Amino acid sequence: MDGLAQPGRTSFAARVRHWSRALMRGRKPEALPVRLDRRRIYIVPTRAGLGFAVLLATMLVGALNYQNNAALLLTCLLGAALASSMLLTWRELHDLTLRSLHAEHGFCGARLPLHLAFADDRRDRHGLSIATDELEQPCPLTAGASRASVTIAADRRGWMAVPRMRISSTLPFGLFRAWSWITPAQRVLVYPRFLNDAQPPARHDDPAERIAGGDEFAGLRDYHPGDPIRHVAWKASARHGHLLVREFDRAAPGQPLRFDWHALTGIDRETRISRLAGWVCEAYAAAHPWILVLEDQRTFGPASDAGHYHRCLTALAELP
C-alpha cells in the first residue's frame, strides 16, 4: 500500500508546486515603470477572514433556523462589510505604479538600502508592505509622498540582481491579504566583506620614503662627535675596532600606504580581498592616502578621496 500511496502524494505535491508557480508570476525581470493592474493582484482570506466567514455562516444558519429577522439582517450587514473589506484590500494595490528605484552600494553581509519611487496618484495606501525575503517591511504611502525605502540582503560580493519584491496589504480589517510581485531589471554592486584583523605591512623597501629620527632600526654608521652615547652599538664596535652607532628612522609623514595583493600570502582568495577592503576602509576613515595594487598589477592611487575609495572597492568587488 505504501508503494501505491507514494506516487499519489508525489503527484499531489507536484500539482501544488505547479499551482504555486502559477501564483508567483513576475519572475522574469521587467523594466520600470511597472503598474499593478487587476491581472497582477492576488487576494485570499487570512486566517481571521476564514474565521469570520465561518462565524457568518453559523449566524446565517441560526437566523434561518429560528426565523429571526434581526439576526438575519445583522448577518447580511456583516457579510456586506466582509465584501467591502475585500474590495478595499484589493484597492490598496490596484493602480500602484513603481516608477524607479535606486540601490545604494553596501558591503557583503549587510542589508543594502533600496529607495523606491512610486507614481503619486493622490491616494493614501497606509497598509503597504514590501518583502524581498522573509522580512516584511512596512512602506506606507500618503498622497504627495510617494517614496519608500526598504533593505535587501547581500550575501556575496559583486553585481547582484535586485531581488523580486512582494508588495502586499491586509488593510483595512486584516480579513484578506492582497499581494503582487515585481522583479525589477536592475542590478546593484555589493562591496566585499571587510576584515580588520591585521595591520597593513610597513614599507621598508624605499629609503626615499623614510626620514631619520624614528624608532625603527635602520642600520649602523661610524660614530661622529655629538652622537648620543646610548646609540653606540658596543658589541659591534668591539668587533670592528671603532665606534659604531645605531641609526633609526620612520616613514615620512604623508606618504601613501601601499596595499599590495602580492604582499598577502598564506590566506585564501576571499580573505585576501576582505583584508584589502578592510585596509581601504581604515585608510579612508583616517583620510590617509593609499595605493591599491591588485593581482593583475592594476594600481589605484595614491589618493584619499571618496572617488578613490569607491574605485578601489569596486575593483575588489568585481574580482573573479
Short mmCIF file of all heavy atoms in Angstrom, two decimals, residues 172-223:
data_model
loop_
_atom_site.label_atom_id
_atom_site.label_comp_id
_atom_site.label_asym_id
_atom_site.label_seq_id
_atom_site.Cartn_x
_atom_site.Cartn_y
_atom_site.Cartn_z
N PRO A 172 -8.35 46.95 5.21
CA PRO A 172 -8.47 47.72 6.46
C PRO A 172 -8.67 46.86 7.71
O PRO A 172 -8.41 47.31 8.81
CB PRO A 172 -9.72 48.57 6.21
CG PRO A 172 -10.56 47.72 5.31
CD PRO A 172 -9.60 46.96 4.44
N PHE A 173 -9.15 45.62 7.56
CA PHE A 173 -9.52 44.85 8.75
C PHE A 173 -8.67 43.61 8.96
O PHE A 173 -8.91 42.85 9.90
CB PHE A 173 -11.01 44.44 8.65
CG PHE A 173 -11.94 45.61 8.49
CD1 PHE A 173 -12.87 45.63 7.45
CD2 PHE A 173 -11.89 46.68 9.35
CE1 PHE A 173 -13.73 46.71 7.29
CE2 PHE A 173 -12.75 47.76 9.20
CZ PHE A 173 -13.66 47.78 8.16
N GLY A 174 -7.76 43.34 8.08
CA GLY A 174 -6.95 42.14 8.22
C GLY A 174 -7.67 40.86 7.87
O GLY A 174 -7.20 39.78 8.23
N LEU A 175 -8.78 40.95 7.16
CA LEU A 175 -9.55 39.76 6.81
C LEU A 175 -9.09 39.17 5.48
O LEU A 175 -9.37 38.00 5.19
CB LEU A 175 -11.04 40.11 6.74
CG LEU A 175 -11.65 40.65 8.04
CD1 LEU A 175 -13.12 40.98 7.82
CD2 LEU A 175 -11.50 39.64 9.16
N PHE A 176 -8.41 39.97 4.65
CA PHE A 176 -7.91 39.50 3.35
C PHE A 176 -6.48 39.97 3.18
O PHE A 176 -6.07 40.99 3.74
CB PHE A 176 -8.78 40.04 2.20
CG PHE A 176 -10.16 39.48 2.17
CD1 PHE A 176 -11.20 40.11 2.86
CD2 PHE A 176 -10.44 38.31 1.48
CE1 PHE A 176 -12.47 39.59 2.85
CE2 PHE A 176 -11.71 37.78 1.46
CZ PHE A 176 -12.73 38.42 2.15
N ARG A 177 -5.76 39.22 2.40
CA ARG A 177 -4.39 39.62 2.04
C ARG A 177 -4.30 39.71 0.52
O ARG A 177 -4.55 38.71 -0.18
CB ARG A 177 -3.36 38.62 2.55
CG ARG A 177 -1.93 38.89 2.03
CD ARG A 177 -0.94 37.90 2.60
NE ARG A 177 -0.77 38.11 4.03
CZ ARG A 177 0.06 39.00 4.56
NH1 ARG A 177 0.82 39.76 3.76
NH2 ARG A 177 0.15 39.13 5.86
N ALA A 178 -3.96 40.89 0.03
CA ALA A 178 -3.73 41.10 -1.39
C ALA A 178 -2.24 41.28 -1.62
O ALA A 178 -1.55 41.92 -0.81
CB ALA A 178 -4.49 42.33 -1.88
N TRP A 179 -1.72 40.72 -2.70
CA TRP A 179 -0.29 40.84 -2.96
C TRP A 179 -0.03 40.80 -4.46
O TRP A 179 -0.87 40.37 -5.27
CB TRP A 179 0.49 39.74 -2.25
CG TRP A 179 0.43 38.40 -2.91
CD1 TRP A 179 1.32 37.87 -3.81
CD2 TRP A 179 -0.58 37.40 -2.71
NE1 TRP A 179 0.93 36.61 -4.18
CE2 TRP A 179 -0.24 36.30 -3.53
CE3 TRP A 179 -1.74 37.34 -1.95
CZ2 TRP A 179 -1.01 35.15 -3.58
CZ3 TRP A 179 -2.50 36.20 -2.00
CH2 TRP A 179 -2.14 35.13 -2.81
N SER A 180 1.15 41.26 -4.81
CA SER A 180 1.59 41.22 -6.20
C SER A 180 3.12 41.16 -6.20
O SER A 180 3.76 41.41 -5.18
CB SER A 180 1.12 42.47 -6.97
OG SER A 180 1.47 42.35 -8.33
N TRP A 181 3.68 40.81 -7.37
CA TRP A 181 5.13 40.64 -7.49
C TRP A 181 5.69 41.62 -8.51
O TRP A 181 5.08 41.87 -9.54
CB TRP A 181 5.48 39.22 -7.93
CG TRP A 181 5.05 38.15 -6.99
CD1 TRP A 181 3.89 37.43 -7.05
CD2 TRP A 181 5.76 37.69 -5.85
NE1 TRP A 181 3.83 36.55 -6.01
CE2 TRP A 181 4.97 36.67 -5.26
CE3 TRP A 181 6.98 38.02 -5.27
CZ2 TRP A 181 5.37 36.00 -4.12
CZ3 TRP A 181 7.38 37.34 -4.13
CH2 TRP A 181 6.58 36.36 -3.56
N ILE A 182 6.87 42.15 -8.20
CA ILE A 182 7.60 42.98 -9.16
C ILE A 182 9.06 42.51 -9.15
O ILE A 182 9.66 42.39 -8.08
CB ILE A 182 7.53 44.47 -8.80
CG1 ILE A 182 6.09 44.99 -8.90
CG2 ILE A 182 8.43 45.29 -9.72
CD1 ILE A 182 5.94 46.46 -8.55
N THR A 183 9.59 42.25 -10.33
CA THR A 183 11.00 41.87 -10.46
C THR A 183 11.71 42.91 -11.30
O THR A 183 11.70 42.83 -12.53
CB THR A 183 11.14 40.48 -11.11
OG1 THR A 183 10.32 39.55 -10.40
CG2 THR A 183 12.59 40.01 -11.09
N PRO A 184 12.30 43.92 -10.68
CA PRO A 184 12.94 44.98 -11.47
C PRO A 184 14.19 44.46 -12.19
O PRO A 184 14.96 43.67 -11.63
CB PRO A 184 13.32 46.04 -10.42
CG PRO A 184 12.57 45.65 -9.18
CD PRO A 184 12.38 44.18 -9.24
N ALA A 185 14.37 44.92 -13.39
CA ALA A 185 15.55 44.52 -14.18
C ALA A 185 16.70 45.48 -13.87
O ALA A 185 17.15 46.23 -14.73
CB ALA A 185 15.22 44.52 -15.66
N GLN A 186 17.16 45.46 -12.66
CA GLN A 186 18.27 46.32 -12.24
C GLN A 186 19.24 45.53 -11.38
O GLN A 186 18.87 44.50 -10.79
CB GLN A 186 17.75 47.53 -11.46
CG GLN A 186 17.04 48.53 -12.36
CD GLN A 186 16.72 49.82 -11.64
OE1 GLN A 186 15.64 50.35 -11.74
NE2 GLN A 186 17.70 50.35 -10.94
N ARG A 187 20.46 46.05 -11.31
CA ARG A 187 21.49 45.39 -10.52
C ARG A 187 22.08 46.37 -9.52
O ARG A 187 21.98 47.58 -9.66
CB ARG A 187 22.60 44.86 -11.43
CG ARG A 187 22.15 43.83 -12.44
CD ARG A 187 23.35 43.20 -13.12
NE ARG A 187 24.22 44.20 -13.74
CZ ARG A 187 25.45 43.95 -14.17
NH1 ARG A 187 25.96 42.73 -14.03
NH2 ARG A 187 26.17 44.90 -14.73
N VAL A 188 22.70 45.81 -8.52
CA VAL A 188 23.36 46.62 -7.50
C VAL A 188 24.73 46.01 -7.23
O VAL A 188 24.88 44.77 -7.27
CB VAL A 188 22.50 46.68 -6.22
CG1 VAL A 188 22.23 45.29 -5.67
CG2 VAL A 188 23.16 47.53 -5.16
N LEU A 189 25.71 46.87 -6.97
CA LEU A 189 27.06 46.39 -6.70
C LEU A 189 27.26 46.20 -5.20
O LEU A 189 27.00 47.13 -4.41
CB LEU A 189 28.09 47.38 -7.23
CG LEU A 189 29.55 46.98 -7.05
CD1 LEU A 189 29.86 45.70 -7.82
CD2 LEU A 189 30.49 48.09 -7.49
N VAL A 190 27.71 45.03 -4.83
CA VAL A 190 27.96 44.71 -3.42
C VAL A 190 29.47 44.69 -3.19
O VAL A 190 30.19 43.92 -3.84
CB VAL A 190 27.34 43.35 -3.04
CG1 VAL A 190 27.59 43.04 -1.57
CG2 VAL A 190 25.85 43.34 -3.35
N TYR A 191 29.93 45.54 -2.29
CA TYR A 191 31.35 45.58 -1.97
C TYR A 191 31.73 44.33 -1.15
O TYR A 191 30.87 43.74 -0.48
CB TYR A 191 31.68 46.83 -1.17
CG TYR A 191 31.56 48.11 -1.97
CD1 TYR A 191 31.30 49.33 -1.33
CD2 TYR A 191 31.72 48.11 -3.35
CE1 TYR A 191 31.19 50.51 -2.05
CE2 TYR A 191 31.62 49.28 -4.07
CZ TYR A 191 31.35 50.48 -3.41
OH TYR A 191 31.26 51.64 -4.13
N PRO A 192 33.01 43.99 -1.15
CA PRO A 192 33.42 42.78 -0.39
C PRO A 192 33.22 42.98 1.12
O PRO A 192 33.22 44.10 1.62
CB PRO A 192 34.91 42.63 -0.73
CG PRO A 192 35.14 43.48 -1.91
CD PRO A 192 34.13 44.59 -1.88
N ARG A 193 33.06 41.89 1.78
CA ARG A 193 33.06 41.91 3.25
C ARG A 193 34.43 42.38 3.72
O ARG A 193 35.45 41.92 3.21
CB ARG A 193 32.79 40.51 3.77
CG ARG A 193 32.45 40.44 5.25
CD ARG A 193 32.40 38.97 5.69
NE ARG A 193 31.56 38.18 4.82
CZ ARG A 193 30.26 38.01 4.98
NH1 ARG A 193 29.67 38.56 6.01
NH2 ARG A 193 29.55 37.28 4.14
N PHE A 194 34.50 43.31 4.66
CA PHE A 194 35.81 43.83 5.05
C PHE A 194 36.24 43.23 6.39
O PHE A 194 35.43 42.98 7.27
CB PHE A 194 35.80 45.36 5.13
CG PHE A 194 34.82 45.94 6.10
CD1 PHE A 194 35.18 46.17 7.42
CD2 PHE A 194 33.54 46.25 5.72
CE1 PHE A 194 34.29 46.70 8.32
CE2 PHE A 194 32.63 46.78 6.60
CZ PHE A 194 33.01 47.01 7.91
N LEU A 195 37.55 43.01 6.49
CA LEU A 195 38.16 42.46 7.70
C LEU A 195 39.13 43.47 8.27
O LEU A 195 39.87 44.13 7.53
CB LEU A 195 38.90 41.15 7.38
CG LEU A 195 38.05 39.95 6.97
CD1 LEU A 195 38.94 38.77 6.62
CD2 LEU A 195 37.09 39.56 8.10
N ASN A 196 39.14 43.59 9.58
CA ASN A 196 40.09 44.46 10.26
C ASN A 196 40.92 43.64 11.23
O ASN A 196 41.16 44.04 12.37
CB ASN A 196 39.33 45.57 11.02
CG ASN A 196 38.61 46.51 10.08
OD1 ASN A 196 39.12 46.84 9.01
ND2 ASN A 196 37.42 46.94 10.46
N ASP A 197 41.36 42.48 10.78
CA ASP A 197 42.07 41.57 11.67
C ASP A 197 43.59 41.68 11.56
O ASP A 197 44.30 40.91 12.19
CB ASP A 197 41.66 40.13 11.36
CG ASP A 197 41.96 39.75 9.91
OD1 ASP A 197 42.17 40.68 9.10
OD2 ASP A 197 41.99 38.55 9.60
N ALA A 198 44.10 42.62 10.76
CA ALA A 198 45.56 42.74 10.63
C ALA A 198 45.90 44.16 10.21
O ALA A 198 45.10 44.85 9.58
CB ALA A 198 46.08 41.73 9.60
N GLN A 199 47.11 44.58 10.58
CA GLN A 199 47.61 45.88 10.18
C GLN A 199 48.26 45.78 8.81
O GLN A 199 48.84 44.74 8.47
CB GLN A 199 48.63 46.39 11.20
CG GLN A 199 48.03 46.68 12.56
CD GLN A 199 47.03 47.82 12.52
OE1 GLN A 199 47.23 48.80 11.80
NE2 GLN A 199 45.95 47.69 13.28
N PRO A 200 48.18 46.83 8.00
CA PRO A 200 48.85 46.78 6.71
C PRO A 200 50.36 46.71 6.88
O PRO A 200 50.91 47.25 7.85
CB PRO A 200 48.43 48.10 6.04
CG PRO A 200 48.02 48.98 7.16
CD PRO A 200 47.45 48.08 8.21
N PRO A 201 51.08 46.02 6.01
CA PRO A 201 52.53 45.88 6.16
C PRO A 201 53.24 47.22 6.04
O PRO A 201 52.89 48.06 5.21
CB PRO A 201 52.91 44.93 5.01
CG PRO A 201 51.82 45.09 4.01
CD PRO A 201 50.57 45.38 4.79
N ALA A 202 54.26 47.42 6.90
CA ALA A 202 55.06 48.65 6.83
C ALA A 202 55.97 48.60 5.60
O ALA A 202 56.38 47.52 5.14
CB ALA A 202 55.88 48.80 8.10
N ARG A 203 56.32 49.77 5.10
CA ARG A 203 57.15 49.82 3.91
C ARG A 203 58.60 50.06 4.31
O ARG A 203 58.93 51.04 4.96
CB ARG A 203 56.67 50.92 2.98
CG ARG A 203 55.23 50.76 2.57
CD ARG A 203 54.86 51.74 1.50
NE ARG A 203 55.70 51.58 0.33
CZ ARG A 203 55.63 52.34 -0.74
NH1 ARG A 203 54.77 53.32 -0.77
NH2 ARG A 203 56.41 52.14 -1.77
N HIS A 204 59.47 49.14 3.94
CA HIS A 204 60.90 49.28 4.24
C HIS A 204 61.73 49.29 2.97
O HIS A 204 62.94 49.43 3.02
CB HIS A 204 61.36 48.10 5.10
CG HIS A 204 60.64 48.01 6.41
ND1 HIS A 204 60.85 48.88 7.45
CD2 HIS A 204 59.69 47.14 6.82
CE1 HIS A 204 60.07 48.55 8.48
NE2 HIS A 204 59.35 47.50 8.11
N ASP A 205 61.09 49.15 1.84
CA ASP A 205 61.84 48.94 0.63
C ASP A 205 62.25 50.21 -0.09
O ASP A 205 63.05 50.17 -0.99
CB ASP A 205 61.03 48.07 -0.33
CG ASP A 205 59.65 48.65 -0.57
OD1 ASP A 205 59.22 49.50 0.23
OD2 ASP A 205 59.02 48.25 -1.57
N ASP A 206 61.71 51.35 0.30
CA ASP A 206 62.03 52.59 -0.41
C ASP A 206 62.61 53.60 0.58
O ASP A 206 61.88 54.25 1.33
CB ASP A 206 60.77 53.14 -1.07
CG ASP A 206 61.13 54.25 -2.05
OD1 ASP A 206 62.30 54.68 -2.06
OD2 ASP A 206 60.23 54.67 -2.80
N PRO A 207 63.94 53.78 0.63
CA PRO A 207 64.54 54.71 1.59
C PRO A 207 64.11 56.15 1.36
O PRO A 207 64.13 56.97 2.28
CB PRO A 207 66.05 54.55 1.33
CG PRO A 207 66.18 53.22 0.65
CD PRO A 207 64.94 53.04 -0.16
N ALA A 208 63.68 56.46 0.16
CA ALA A 208 63.28 57.84 -0.11
C ALA A 208 62.00 58.22 0.64
O ALA A 208 61.69 59.40 0.77
CB ALA A 208 63.07 58.03 -1.62
N GLU A 209 61.26 57.23 1.10
CA GLU A 209 60.01 57.49 1.80
C GLU A 209 60.17 57.41 3.31
O GLU A 209 59.18 57.33 4.02
CB GLU A 209 58.93 56.51 1.34
CG GLU A 209 58.60 56.65 -0.14
CD GLU A 209 57.53 55.68 -0.57
OE1 GLU A 209 57.10 54.88 0.29
OE2 GLU A 209 57.13 55.71 -1.73
N ARG A 210 61.43 57.43 3.80
CA ARG A 210 61.66 57.36 5.23
C ARG A 210 62.53 58.53 5.66
O ARG A 210 63.32 59.07 4.88
CB ARG A 210 62.34 56.04 5.61
CG ARG A 210 61.57 54.81 5.15
CD ARG A 210 62.14 53.54 5.74
NE ARG A 210 61.97 53.46 7.18
CZ ARG A 210 60.83 53.09 7.75
NH1 ARG A 210 59.78 52.78 7.02
NH2 ARG A 210 60.74 53.03 9.05
N ILE A 211 62.35 58.96 6.91
CA ILE A 211 63.12 60.07 7.46
C ILE A 211 63.75 59.62 8.75
O ILE A 211 63.28 58.70 9.43
CB ILE A 211 62.25 61.31 7.69
CG1 ILE A 211 61.13 60.98 8.68
CG2 ILE A 211 61.68 61.82 6.38
CD1 ILE A 211 60.27 62.17 9.06
N ALA A 212 64.86 60.30 9.12
CA ALA A 212 65.57 59.95 10.35
C ALA A 212 64.80 60.43 11.57
O ALA A 212 63.97 61.33 11.50
CB ALA A 212 66.97 60.57 10.32
N GLY A 213 65.12 59.78 12.70
CA GLY A 213 64.53 60.22 13.96
C GLY A 213 63.38 59.37 14.45
O GLY A 213 62.71 59.75 15.40
N GLY A 214 63.13 58.27 13.82
CA GLY A 214 62.04 57.42 14.27
C GLY A 214 62.49 56.43 15.31
O GLY A 214 63.51 56.61 15.99
N ASP A 215 61.73 55.38 15.46
CA ASP A 215 62.06 54.35 16.44
C ASP A 215 62.29 52.99 15.79
O ASP A 215 62.30 51.98 16.48
CB ASP A 215 60.94 54.24 17.48
CG ASP A 215 59.60 54.02 16.82
OD1 ASP A 215 59.55 53.97 15.57
OD2 ASP A 215 58.60 53.92 17.56
N GLU A 216 62.44 52.95 14.45
CA GLU A 216 62.70 51.69 13.76
C GLU A 216 64.17 51.63 13.38
O GLU A 216 64.71 52.58 12.81
CB GLU A 216 61.83 51.58 12.52
CG GLU A 216 60.33 51.59 12.83
CD GLU A 216 59.49 51.52 11.57
OE1 GLU A 216 60.06 51.20 10.51
OE2 GLU A 216 58.29 51.79 11.64
N PHE A 217 64.81 50.51 13.71
CA PHE A 217 66.25 50.37 13.44
C PHE A 217 66.51 50.38 11.94
O PHE A 217 65.89 49.63 11.18
CB PHE A 217 66.75 49.06 14.06
CG PHE A 217 68.20 48.80 13.80
CD1 PHE A 217 69.17 49.54 14.44
CD2 PHE A 217 68.59 47.80 12.92
CE1 PHE A 217 70.52 49.30 14.21
CE2 PHE A 217 69.93 47.55 12.68
CZ PHE A 217 70.91 48.31 13.33
N ALA A 218 67.46 51.25 11.50
CA ALA A 218 67.76 51.39 10.08
C ALA A 218 69.14 50.87 9.71
O ALA A 218 69.39 50.54 8.54
CB ALA A 218 67.64 52.86 9.66
N GLY A 219 70.11 50.81 10.67
CA GLY A 219 71.45 50.32 10.34
C GLY A 219 72.51 50.91 11.28
O GLY A 219 72.18 51.57 12.27
N LEU A 220 73.78 50.68 10.93
CA LEU A 220 74.91 51.18 11.73
C LEU A 220 75.74 52.16 10.89
O LEU A 220 75.81 52.03 9.67
CB LEU A 220 75.79 50.01 12.20
CG LEU A 220 75.13 48.98 13.13
CD1 LEU A 220 76.08 47.80 13.36
CD2 LEU A 220 74.76 49.63 14.46
N ARG A 221 76.37 53.09 11.55
CA ARG A 221 77.30 54.01 10.89
C ARG A 221 78.39 54.37 11.86
O ARG A 221 78.29 54.09 13.07
CB ARG A 221 76.57 55.26 10.40
CG ARG A 221 75.98 56.12 11.49
CD ARG A 221 75.55 57.46 10.96
NE ARG A 221 74.87 58.25 11.95
CZ ARG A 221 75.46 58.95 12.92
NH1 ARG A 221 76.80 58.92 13.04
NH2 ARG A 221 74.77 59.66 13.79
N ASP A 222 79.41 55.03 11.34
CA ASP A 222 80.54 55.43 12.20
C ASP A 222 80.10 56.51 13.17
O ASP A 222 79.22 57.33 12.88
CB ASP A 222 81.69 55.95 11.35
CG ASP A 222 82.34 54.84 10.52
OD1 ASP A 222 82.17 53.65 10.91
OD2 ASP A 222 82.96 55.15 9.49
N TYR A 223 80.73 56.49 14.31
CA TYR A 223 80.42 57.49 15.36
C TYR A 223 80.96 58.85 14.96
O TYR A 223 82.05 58.99 14.40
CB TYR A 223 81.06 57.04 16.68
CG TYR A 223 80.93 58.06 17.78
CD1 TYR A 223 79.76 58.15 18.53
CD2 TYR A 223 82.00 58.92 18.07
CE1 TYR A 223 79.64 59.09 19.54
CE2 TYR A 223 81.89 59.86 19.09
CZ TYR A 223 80.69 59.93 19.82
OH TYR A 223 80.59 60.86 20.82
#
